[in-house]
Amino acid sequence: MIKKPPGKGLSAMAFDRIKHDIVWCRLSPGEEVSEARLTELYGFGKAPIRQALSRLTQEGYVIPIPRSGHLIAPVTLQSVRDLFELRMLLEPVAMEKACGNVDAERLRKLDAKCALGFVPGDMDSEARFMAANRAFHMEIAHCSNNQRLAAALGQIMDEMTRLLHLAFVLRERPTDLLHEHDGLIHALVNNDKPRARDITVTHINTVRALVLDGMIKHTNLNSTSIARA
């Protein structure tokens, strides 16, 4: 029997579990799933699974197939470019708005967790690093004092995790992700908006290059998981 945490419904738990496995590629892009299979896989009843799938559809993680089931949202090179374009539009703005509003001590504590790095191929280790990195970026996003902006960036960060796995970046290029946050923290604390923007733009461009390079090198573009368009 599934133990329900206080204040959390079964449909929310089902959503979190399925989304986690999509983000971490345990459910592969382009994979077909049914309510029956997900019910068996996760141990929830049909109603929570159905409600979770509805929410996952709204957030773009799954695609309903009429009279058949659902498809885990595939990844295309165009969708990757679109996601990075959206990140480039939103994150530098969030960094600028957060300038002068951040808690330097809190950011340094979060950065210290990122600096621990991870062991490539060890999913628990990778998950801890990605969670720490997400927490660092989301702390800044919330300091923008625009919660809609922060929520949009939160979804982008989740999709980034899936792309890093799909492109083998975590396994093949781990040192490229262990960037220093010191310069960004300094810019944010000292209300240096141009510097905060420049650091953010450089970081986004670096990650985009890593993801696109990894996908082209390691992924079969003729498969259902990724295509050119």
Side-chain angles (χ1 to χ4, degrees), residues 95 98-107 139-141 143-144 184-185 187-190:
M95 294 293 171
C99 278
N101 299 323
V102 299
D103 182 331
E105 183 178 355
R106 178 164 174 75
L107 283 181
E139 172 69 17
I140 300 171
C143 289
S144 71
L184 180 58
I185 294 172
L188 291 166
V189 171
N190 289 280

mmCIF file with all atom_site columns, all heavy atoms in Angstrom, residues 95 98-107 139-141 143-144 184-185 187-190:
data_model
loop_
_atom_site.group_PDB
_atom_site.id
_atom_site.type_symbol
_atom_site.label_atom_id
_atom_site.label_alt_id
_atom_site.label_comp_id
_atom_site.label_asym_id
_atom_site.label_entity_id
_atom_site.label_seq_id
_atom_site.pdbx_PDB_ins_code
_atom_site.Cartn_x
_atom_site.Cartn_y
_atom_site.Cartn_z
_atom_site.occupancy
_atom_site.B_iso_or_equiv
_atom_site.pdbx_formal_charge
_atom_site.auth_seq_id
_atom_site.auth_comp_id
_atom_site.auth_asym_id
_atom_site.auth_atom_id
_atom_site.pdbx_PDB_model_num
ATOM 1   N N   . MET A 1 95  ? 18.037 37.000 -13.667 1.00 0.00 ? 95  MET A N   1
ATOM 2   C CA  . MET A 1 95  ? 19.293 37.343 -12.992 1.00 0.00 ? 95  MET A CA  1
ATOM 3   C C   . MET A 1 95  ? 19.385 38.849 -12.746 1.00 0.00 ? 95  MET A C   1
ATOM 4   O O   . MET A 1 95  ? 19.773 39.301 -11.669 1.00 0.00 ? 95  MET A O   1
ATOM 5   C CB  . MET A 1 95  ? 20.486 36.870 -13.827 1.00 0.00 ? 95  MET A CB  1
ATOM 6   C CG  . MET A 1 95  ? 20.591 35.372 -13.961 1.00 0.00 ? 95  MET A CG  1
ATOM 7   S SD  . MET A 1 95  ? 20.973 34.571 -12.382 1.00 0.00 ? 95  MET A SD  1
ATOM 8   C CE  . MET A 1 95  ? 20.746 32.849 -12.835 1.00 0.00 ? 95  MET A CE  1
ATOM 9   N N   . ALA A 1 98  ? 17.095 39.866 -9.988  1.00 0.00 ? 98  ALA A N   1
ATOM 10  C CA  . ALA A 1 98  ? 17.517 39.374 -8.674  1.00 0.00 ? 98  ALA A CA  1
ATOM 11  C C   . ALA A 1 98  ? 18.688 40.162 -8.111  1.00 0.00 ? 98  ALA A C   1
ATOM 12  O O   . ALA A 1 98  ? 18.986 40.065 -6.909  1.00 0.00 ? 98  ALA A O   1
ATOM 13  C CB  . ALA A 1 98  ? 17.891 37.895 -8.765  1.00 0.00 ? 98  ALA A CB  1
ATOM 14  N N   . CYS A 1 99  ? 19.366 40.936 -8.954  1.00 0.00 ? 99  CYS A N   1
ATOM 15  C CA  . CYS A 1 99  ? 20.541 41.693 -8.503  1.00 0.00 ? 99  CYS A CA  1
ATOM 16  C C   . CYS A 1 99  ? 20.172 42.602 -7.320  1.00 0.00 ? 99  CYS A C   1
ATOM 17  O O   . CYS A 1 99  ? 19.189 43.339 -7.365  1.00 0.00 ? 99  CYS A O   1
ATOM 18  C CB  . CYS A 1 99  ? 21.087 42.539 -9.652  1.00 0.00 ? 99  CYS A CB  1
ATOM 19  S SG  . CYS A 1 99  ? 22.158 41.631 -10.776 1.00 0.00 ? 99  CYS A SG  1
ATOM 20  N N   . GLY A 1 100 ? 20.978 42.508 -6.280  1.00 0.00 ? 100 GLY A N   1
ATOM 21  C CA  . GLY A 1 100 ? 20.754 43.314 -5.091  1.00 0.00 ? 100 GLY A CA  1
ATOM 22  C C   . GLY A 1 100 ? 19.729 42.750 -4.141  1.00 0.00 ? 100 GLY A C   1
ATOM 23  O O   . GLY A 1 100 ? 19.540 43.282 -3.038  1.00 0.00 ? 100 GLY A O   1
ATOM 24  N N   . ASN A 1 101 ? 19.059 41.645 -4.528  1.00 0.00 ? 101 ASN A N   1
ATOM 25  C CA  . ASN A 1 101 ? 18.000 41.070 -3.678  1.00 0.00 ? 101 ASN A CA  1
ATOM 26  C C   . ASN A 1 101 ? 18.371 39.714 -3.080  1.00 0.00 ? 101 ASN A C   1
ATOM 27  O O   . ASN A 1 101 ? 17.566 39.128 -2.362  1.00 0.00 ? 101 ASN A O   1
ATOM 28  C CB  . ASN A 1 101 ? 16.713 40.886 -4.508  1.00 0.00 ? 101 ASN A CB  1
ATOM 29  C CG  . ASN A 1 101 ? 16.194 42.206 -5.047  1.00 0.00 ? 101 ASN A CG  1
ATOM 30  O OD1 . ASN A 1 101 ? 16.270 43.234 -4.383  1.00 0.00 ? 101 ASN A OD1 1
ATOM 31  N ND2 . ASN A 1 101 ? 15.662 42.171 -6.263  1.00 0.00 ? 101 ASN A ND2 1
ATOM 32  N N   . VAL A 1 102 ? 19.558 39.196 -3.387  1.00 0.00 ? 102 VAL A N   1
ATOM 33  C CA  . VAL A 1 102 ? 19.899 37.831 -2.994  1.00 0.00 ? 102 VAL A CA  1
ATOM 34  C C   . VAL A 1 102 ? 20.513 37.788 -1.606  1.00 0.00 ? 102 VAL A C   1
ATOM 35  O O   . VAL A 1 102 ? 21.027 38.783 -1.086  1.00 0.00 ? 102 VAL A O   1
ATOM 36  C CB  . VAL A 1 102 ? 20.877 37.189 -4.004  1.00 0.00 ? 102 VAL A CB  1
ATOM 37  C CG1 . VAL A 1 102 ? 20.240 37.104 -5.395  1.00 0.00 ? 102 VAL A CG1 1
ATOM 38  C CG2 . VAL A 1 102 ? 22.190 37.950 -4.057  1.00 0.00 ? 102 VAL A CG2 1
ATOM 39  N N   . ASP A 1 103 ? 20.457 36.585 -1.025  1.00 0.00 ? 103 ASP A N   1
ATOM 40  C CA  . ASP A 1 103 ? 21.107 36.297 0.250   1.00 0.00 ? 103 ASP A CA  1
ATOM 41  C C   . ASP A 1 103 ? 22.440 35.624 -0.093  1.00 0.00 ? 103 ASP A C   1
ATOM 42  O O   . ASP A 1 103 ? 22.477 34.461 -0.478  1.00 0.00 ? 103 ASP A O   1
ATOM 43  C CB  . ASP A 1 103 ? 20.223 35.371 1.086   1.00 0.00 ? 103 ASP A CB  1
ATOM 44  C CG  . ASP A 1 103 ? 20.805 35.051 2.454   1.00 0.00 ? 103 ASP A CG  1
ATOM 45  O OD1 . ASP A 1 103 ? 22.042 35.053 2.590   1.00 0.00 ? 103 ASP A OD1 1
ATOM 46  O OD2 . ASP A 1 103 ? 20.022 34.782 3.381   1.00 0.00 ? 103 ASP A OD2 1
ATOM 47  N N   . ALA A 1 104 ? 23.537 36.352 0.019   1.00 0.00 ? 104 ALA A N   1
ATOM 48  C CA  . ALA A 1 104 ? 24.845 35.854 -0.404  1.00 0.00 ? 104 ALA A CA  1
ATOM 49  C C   . ALA A 1 104 ? 25.235 34.576 0.344   1.00 0.00 ? 104 ALA A C   1
ATOM 50  O O   . ALA A 1 104 ? 25.758 33.626 -0.253  1.00 0.00 ? 104 ALA A O   1
ATOM 51  C CB  . ALA A 1 104 ? 25.905 36.925 -0.195  1.00 0.00 ? 104 ALA A CB  1
ATOM 52  N N   . GLU A 1 105 ? 24.972 34.540 1.645   1.00 0.00 ? 105 GLU A N   1
ATOM 53  C CA  . GLU A 1 105 ? 25.353 33.369 2.438   1.00 0.00 ? 105 GLU A CA  1
ATOM 54  C C   . GLU A 1 105 ? 24.592 32.131 1.978   1.00 0.00 ? 105 GLU A C   1
ATOM 55  O O   . GLU A 1 105 ? 25.169 31.040 1.852   1.00 0.00 ? 105 GLU A O   1
ATOM 56  C CB  . GLU A 1 105 ? 25.081 33.626 3.917   1.00 0.00 ? 105 GLU A CB  1
ATOM 57  C CG  . GLU A 1 105 ? 25.527 32.471 4.815   1.00 0.00 ? 105 GLU A CG  1
ATOM 58  C CD  . GLU A 1 105 ? 25.298 32.765 6.291   1.00 0.00 ? 105 GLU A CD  1
ATOM 59  O OE1 . GLU A 1 105 ? 24.879 33.887 6.626   1.00 0.00 ? 105 GLU A OE1 1
ATOM 60  O OE2 . GLU A 1 105 ? 25.542 31.847 7.099   1.00 0.00 ? 105 GLU A OE2 1
ATOM 61  N N   . ARG A 1 106 ? 23.313 32.299 1.711   1.00 0.00 ? 106 ARG A N   1
ATOM 62  C CA  . ARG A 1 106 ? 22.511 31.160 1.239   1.00 0.00 ? 106 ARG A CA  1
ATOM 63  C C   . ARG A 1 106 ? 23.004 30.668 -0.120  1.00 0.00 ? 106 ARG A C   1
ATOM 64  O O   . ARG A 1 106 ? 23.115 29.464 -0.354  1.00 0.00 ? 106 ARG A O   1
ATOM 65  C CB  . ARG A 1 106 ? 21.041 31.546 1.169   1.00 0.00 ? 106 ARG A CB  1
ATOM 66  C CG  . ARG A 1 106 ? 20.147 30.438 0.646   1.00 0.00 ? 106 ARG A CG  1
ATOM 67  C CD  . ARG A 1 106 ? 18.684 30.689 0.930   1.00 0.00 ? 106 ARG A CD  1
ATOM 68  N NE  . ARG A 1 106 ? 17.843 29.697 0.296   1.00 0.00 ? 106 ARG A NE  1
ATOM 69  C CZ  . ARG A 1 106 ? 17.695 28.452 0.720   1.00 0.00 ? 106 ARG A CZ  1
ATOM 70  N NH1 . ARG A 1 106 ? 18.350 28.037 1.802   1.00 0.00 ? 106 ARG A NH1 1
ATOM 71  N NH2 . ARG A 1 106 ? 16.914 27.606 0.083   1.00 0.00 ? 106 ARG A NH2 1
ATOM 72  N N   . LEU A 1 107 ? 23.306 31.588 -1.021  1.00 0.00 ? 107 LEU A N   1
ATOM 73  C CA  . LEU A 1 107 ? 23.795 31.184 -2.339  1.00 0.00 ? 107 LEU A CA  1
ATOM 74  C C   . LEU A 1 107 ? 25.129 30.443 -2.229  1.00 0.00 ? 107 LEU A C   1
ATOM 75  O O   . LEU A 1 107 ? 25.361 29.467 -2.939  1.00 0.00 ? 107 LEU A O   1
ATOM 76  C CB  . LEU A 1 107 ? 23.958 32.403 -3.243  1.00 0.00 ? 107 LEU A CB  1
ATOM 77  C CG  . LEU A 1 107 ? 22.679 32.985 -3.852  1.00 0.00 ? 107 LEU A CG  1
ATOM 78  C CD1 . LEU A 1 107 ? 23.023 34.182 -4.745  1.00 0.00 ? 107 LEU A CD1 1
ATOM 79  C CD2 . LEU A 1 107 ? 21.932 31.933 -4.659  1.00 0.00 ? 107 LEU A CD2 1
ATOM 80  N N   . GLU A 1 139 ? 16.846 29.530 -6.447  1.00 0.00 ? 139 GLU A N   1
ATOM 81  C CA  . GLU A 1 139 ? 16.969 30.532 -5.382  1.00 0.00 ? 139 GLU A CA  1
ATOM 82  C C   . GLU A 1 139 ? 17.096 31.918 -5.999  1.00 0.00 ? 139 GLU A C   1
ATOM 83  O O   . GLU A 1 139 ? 16.449 32.878 -5.560  1.00 0.00 ? 139 GLU A O   1
ATOM 84  C CB  . GLU A 1 139 ? 18.189 30.208 -4.513  1.00 0.00 ? 139 GLU A CB  1
ATOM 85  C CG  . GLU A 1 139 ? 18.538 31.277 -3.483  1.00 0.00 ? 139 GLU A CG  1
ATOM 86  C CD  . GLU A 1 139 ? 17.517 31.401 -2.366  1.00 0.00 ? 139 GLU A CD  1
ATOM 87  O OE1 . GLU A 1 139 ? 16.709 30.473 -2.188  1.00 0.00 ? 139 GLU A OE1 1
ATOM 88  O OE2 . GLU A 1 139 ? 17.540 32.443 -1.668  1.00 0.00 ? 139 GLU A OE2 1
ATOM 89  N N   . ILE A 1 140 ? 17.908 32.025 -7.036  1.00 0.00 ? 140 ILE A N   1
ATOM 90  C CA  . ILE A 1 140 ? 18.073 33.320 -7.716  1.00 0.00 ? 140 ILE A CA  1
ATOM 91  C C   . ILE A 1 140 ? 16.782 33.709 -8.413  1.00 0.00 ? 140 ILE A C   1
ATOM 92  O O   . ILE A 1 140 ? 16.351 34.874 -8.353  1.00 0.00 ? 140 ILE A O   1
ATOM 93  C CB  . ILE A 1 140 ? 19.234 33.247 -8.722  1.00 0.00 ? 140 ILE A CB  1
ATOM 94  C CG1 . ILE A 1 140 ? 20.539 32.894 -8.007  1.00 0.00 ? 140 ILE A CG1 1
ATOM 95  C CG2 . ILE A 1 140 ? 19.371 34.575 -9.466  1.00 0.00 ? 140 ILE A CG2 1
ATOM 96  C CD1 . ILE A 1 140 ? 21.693 32.579 -8.948  1.00 0.00 ? 140 ILE A CD1 1
ATOM 97  N N   . ALA A 1 141 ? 16.151 32.739 -9.085  1.00 0.00 ? 141 ALA A N   1
ATOM 98  C CA  . ALA A 1 141 ? 14.904 33.033 -9.806  1.00 0.00 ? 141 ALA A CA  1
ATOM 99  C C   . ALA A 1 141 ? 13.838 33.584 -8.868  1.00 0.00 ? 141 ALA A C   1
ATOM 100 O O   . ALA A 1 141 ? 13.124 34.532 -9.204  1.00 0.00 ? 141 ALA A O   1
ATOM 101 C CB  . ALA A 1 141 ? 14.406 31.775 -10.507 1.00 0.00 ? 141 ALA A CB  1
ATOM 102 N N   . CYS A 1 143 ? 14.366 35.205 -6.201  1.00 0.00 ? 143 CYS A N   1
ATOM 103 C CA  . CYS A 1 143 ? 14.777 36.544 -5.767  1.00 0.00 ? 143 CYS A CA  1
ATOM 104 C C   . CYS A 1 143 ? 14.449 37.614 -6.809  1.00 0.00 ? 143 CYS A C   1
ATOM 105 O O   . CYS A 1 143 ? 14.623 38.807 -6.549  1.00 0.00 ? 143 CYS A O   1
ATOM 106 C CB  . CYS A 1 143 ? 16.279 36.566 -5.461  1.00 0.00 ? 143 CYS A CB  1
ATOM 107 S SG  . CYS A 1 143 ? 16.725 35.668 -3.953  1.00 0.00 ? 143 CYS A SG  1
ATOM 108 N N   . SER A 1 144 ? 13.980 37.185 -7.987  1.00 0.00 ? 144 SER A N   1
ATOM 109 C CA  . SER A 1 144 ? 13.537 38.158 -8.993  1.00 0.00 ? 144 SER A CA  1
ATOM 110 C C   . SER A 1 144 ? 12.216 38.801 -8.584  1.00 0.00 ? 144 SER A C   1
ATOM 111 O O   . SER A 1 144 ? 11.781 39.792 -9.186  1.00 0.00 ? 144 SER A O   1
ATOM 112 C CB  . SER A 1 144 ? 13.364 37.466 -10.351 1.00 0.00 ? 144 SER A CB  1
ATOM 113 O OG  . SER A 1 144 ? 12.219 36.613 -10.341 1.00 0.00 ? 144 SER A OG  1
ATOM 114 N N   . LEU A 1 184 ? 29.141 34.956 -10.556 1.00 0.00 ? 184 LEU A N   1
ATOM 115 C CA  . LEU A 1 184 ? 27.717 35.283 -10.603 1.00 0.00 ? 184 LEU A CA  1
ATOM 116 C C   . LEU A 1 184 ? 27.236 35.781 -9.246  1.00 0.00 ? 184 LEU A C   1
ATOM 117 O O   . LEU A 1 184 ? 26.501 36.776 -9.163  1.00 0.00 ? 184 LEU A O   1
ATOM 118 C CB  . LEU A 1 184 ? 26.920 34.054 -11.042 1.00 0.00 ? 184 LEU A CB  1
ATOM 119 C CG  . LEU A 1 184 ? 25.404 34.226 -11.135 1.00 0.00 ? 184 LEU A CG  1
ATOM 120 C CD1 . LEU A 1 184 ? 25.040 35.352 -12.098 1.00 0.00 ? 184 LEU A CD1 1
ATOM 121 C CD2 . LEU A 1 184 ? 24.746 32.925 -11.558 1.00 0.00 ? 184 LEU A CD2 1
ATOM 122 N N   . ILE A 1 185 ? 27.637 35.106 -8.185  1.00 0.00 ? 185 ILE A N   1
ATOM 123 C CA  . ILE A 1 185 ? 27.236 35.533 -6.843  1.00 0.00 ? 185 ILE A CA  1
ATOM 124 C C   . ILE A 1 185 ? 27.733 36.949 -6.575  1.00 0.00 ? 185 ILE A C   1
ATOM 125 O O   . ILE A 1 185 ? 27.000 37.793 -6.053  1.00 0.00 ? 185 ILE A O   1
ATOM 126 C CB  . ILE A 1 185 ? 27.767 34.547 -5.770  1.00 0.00 ? 185 ILE A CB  1
ATOM 127 C CG1 . ILE A 1 185 ? 27.104 33.177 -5.919  1.00 0.00 ? 185 ILE A CG1 1
ATOM 128 C CG2 . ILE A 1 185 ? 27.533 35.102 -4.371  1.00 0.00 ? 185 ILE A CG2 1
ATOM 129 C CD1 . ILE A 1 185 ? 27.697 32.094 -5.025  1.00 0.00 ? 185 ILE A CD1 1
ATOM 130 N N   . ALA A 1 187 ? 28.383 39.296 -8.724  1.00 0.00 ? 187 ALA A N   1
ATOM 131 C CA  . ALA A 1 187 ? 27.602 40.251 -9.524  1.00 0.00 ? 187 ALA A CA  1
ATOM 132 C C   . ALA A 1 187 ? 26.227 40.480 -8.918  1.00 0.00 ? 187 ALA A C   1
ATOM 133 O O   . ALA A 1 187 ? 25.738 41.619 -8.862  1.00 0.00 ? 187 ALA A O   1
ATOM 134 C CB  . ALA A 1 187 ? 27.480 39.747 -10.953 1.00 0.00 ? 187 ALA A CB  1
ATOM 135 N N   . LEU A 1 188 ? 25.593 39.424 -8.449  1.00 0.00 ? 188 LEU A N   1
ATOM 136 C CA  . LEU A 1 188 ? 24.253 39.531 -7.873  1.00 0.00 ? 188 LEU A CA  1
ATOM 137 C C   . LEU A 1 188 ? 24.274 40.337 -6.574  1.00 0.00 ? 188 LEU A C   1
ATOM 138 O O   . LEU A 1 188 ? 23.408 41.193 -6.344  1.00 0.00 ? 188 LEU A O   1
ATOM 139 C CB  . LEU A 1 188 ? 23.682 38.141 -7.616  1.00 0.00 ? 188 LEU A CB  1
ATOM 140 C CG  . LEU A 1 188 ? 23.337 37.298 -8.852  1.00 0.00 ? 188 LEU A CG  1
ATOM 141 C CD1 . LEU A 1 188 ? 23.105 35.849 -8.469  1.00 0.00 ? 188 LEU A CD1 1
ATOM 142 C CD2 . LEU A 1 188 ? 22.111 37.865 -9.561  1.00 0.00 ? 188 LEU A CD2 1
ATOM 143 N N   . VAL A 1 189 ? 25.252 40.069 -5.743  1.00 0.00 ? 189 VAL A N   1
ATOM 144 C CA  . VAL A 1 189 ? 25.347 40.766 -4.456  1.00 0.00 ? 189 VAL A CA  1
ATOM 145 C C   . VAL A 1 189 ? 25.635 42.245 -4.660  1.00 0.00 ? 189 VAL A C   1
ATOM 146 O O   . VAL A 1 189 ? 25.105 43.104 -3.943  1.00 0.00 ? 189 VAL A O   1
ATOM 147 C CB  . VAL A 1 189 ? 26.427 40.110 -3.581  1.00 0.00 ? 189 VAL A CB  1
ATOM 148 C CG1 . VAL A 1 189 ? 26.696 40.955 -2.335  1.00 0.00 ? 189 VAL A CG1 1
ATOM 149 C CG2 . VAL A 1 189 ? 26.010 38.695 -3.175  1.00 0.00 ? 189 VAL A CG2 1
ATOM 150 N N   . ASN A 1 190 ? 26.459 42.563 -5.669  1.00 0.00 ? 190 ASN A N   1
ATOM 151 C CA  . ASN A 1 190 ? 26.885 43.943 -5.896  1.00 0.00 ? 190 ASN A CA  1
ATOM 152 C C   . ASN A 1 190 ? 26.016 44.675 -6.919  1.00 0.00 ? 190 ASN A C   1
ATOM 153 O O   . ASN A 1 190 ? 26.385 45.761 -7.372  1.00 0.00 ? 190 ASN A O   1
ATOM 154 C CB  . ASN A 1 190 ? 28.349 43.962 -6.349  1.00 0.00 ? 190 ASN A CB  1
ATOM 155 C CG  . ASN A 1 190 ? 29.298 43.607 -5.229  1.00 0.00 ? 190 ASN A CG  1
ATOM 156 O OD1 . ASN A 1 190 ? 29.613 44.444 -4.380  1.00 0.00 ? 190 ASN A OD1 1
ATOM 157 N ND2 . ASN A 1 190 ? 29.739 42.360 -5.200  1.00 0.00 ? 190 ASN A ND2 1
#
